[in-house]
């Protein structure tokens, strides 16, 4: 039952998590719940990186599908670019 307590992550995984952790923290100025911030960041990243959408197309899709979150897309985009997650 408590076997997970004995487990540790591989150093390479720890480094990857460390690299993304600042992106996962919602900036104080953003008036969203943390879960909503994560959904926005993940959605924008998915649209750009996985679906190959342009910035303009990704924003258009977010505005149509997630209008409440789309209001903060520029902040999410800025954070993603700051940590080079679209490279």
């Amino acid at each position: 039952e408590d076997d997970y307590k004995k487990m540790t992550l591989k150093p390479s995984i720890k480094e990857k998590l460390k690299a993304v952790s600042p992106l996962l923290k919602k900036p104080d100025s953003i008036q969203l719940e943390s879960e909503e911030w994560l959904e926005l960041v993940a959605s924008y990243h998915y649209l750009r990186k996985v679906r190959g959408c342009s910035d303009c197309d990704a924003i258009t899709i977010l505005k149509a599908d997630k209008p409440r979150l789309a209001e903060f897309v520029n902040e999410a985009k800025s954070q993603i670019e700051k940590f080079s997650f679209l490279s």
Side-chain angles (χ1 to χ4, degrees), residues 8-21:
T8 60
L9 294 172
K10 294 178 184 177
S12 61
I13 300 296
K14 285 182 183 181
E15 286 302 312
K16 288 178 183 177
L17 288 172
K18 186 177 177 180
V20 300
S21 65

Side-chain angles (χ1 to χ4, degrees), residues 1 3 14 16 19 22 25 28 30-31 37 41 43 45 50 55-56 60-61 65 67 71 73-75 80 85-86:
E1 186 174 297
D3 289 344
K14 285 182 183 181
K16 288 178 183 177
K25 183 181 182 319
D28 293 335
I30 303 298
Q31 296 177 341
W37 171 252
V41 169
S43 296
H45 185 267
V50 177
D55 175 58
C56 185
T60 300
I61 291 167
D65 293 351
E71 177 182 344
V73 71
N74 286 330
E75 289 86 347
I80 290 169
F85 287 111
L86 289 177

Side-chain angles (χ1 to χ4, degrees), residues 38-55:
L38 293 174
E39 180 181 357
L40 173 58
V41 169
S43 296
Y44 180 80
H45 185 267
Y46 172 81
L47 289 169
R48 292 294 314 277
K49 199 74 169 163
V50 177
R51 291 211 18 215
C53 295
S54 69
D55 175 58

Side-chain angles (χ1 to χ4, degrees), residues 1-5:
E1 186 174 297
D2 289 334
D3 289 344
Y4 72 93
K5 292 180 180 179

